[in-house]
Amino acid sequence: MPIAVDIDVMLARRKMSVGELADRVGITPANLAVLKNGRAKAVRFATLAALCEVLECQPGDLLRWETEAEDAVGD
């Protein structure tokens, strides 16, 4: 997928668990895992805003665009 999700990077920087982030954002750990692992087809702006608020970051810190070649190298 050309959009990569870097939630795990921000979690590590903030020394926060997936469970704590899910609780603070107000989503289930399962839904956060789907997003974190890049399996989500969409993300609501409200969810993205809540993630940014809790993690004290910008949307670009969580999402980045990769070319298809970069994506293939990562597989």
Side-chain angles (χ1 to χ4, degrees), residues 37-53:
N37 295 324
R39 296 189 316 260
K41 299 293 182 196
V43 61
R44 293 177 187 266
F45 282 141
T47 302
L48 183 58
L51 287 166
C52 290
E53 183 177 351

Side-chain angles (χ1 to χ4, degrees), residues 3 8 16 18 22 25 31 41-42 60 63 65 67 73:
I3 301 296
D8 53 347
M16 188 180 298
V18 172
V25 169
N31 283 340
K41 299 293 182 196
L63 304 172
W65 179 78
T67 64
V73 171

Side-chain angles (χ1 to χ4, degrees), residues 9 18 32 34 67:
V9 173
V18 172
L32 182 57
V34 167
T67 64

Side-chain angles (χ1 to χ4, degrees), residues 7-71:
I7 291 175
D8 53 347
V9 173
M10 293 307 296
L11 283 171
R13 288 181 182 168
R14 302 295 186 254
K15 295 179 174 57
M16 188 180 298
S17 70
V18 172
E20 180 183 352
L21 179 60
D23 285 344
R24 292 179 62 183
V25 169
I27 62 175
T28 67
N31 283 340
L32 182 57
V34 167
L35 180 59
K36 185 174 92 58
N37 295 324
R39 296 189 316 260
K41 299 293 182 196
V43 61
R44 293 177 187 266
F45 282 141
T47 302
L48 183 58
L51 287 166
C52 290
E53 183 177 351
V54 170
L55 292 170
E56 299 178 352
C57 66
Q58 295 294 314
D61 296 325
L62 301 177
L63 304 172
R64 64 186 156 81
W65 179 78
E66 294 182 337
T67 64
E68 294 296 328
E70 288 175 303
D71 193 32

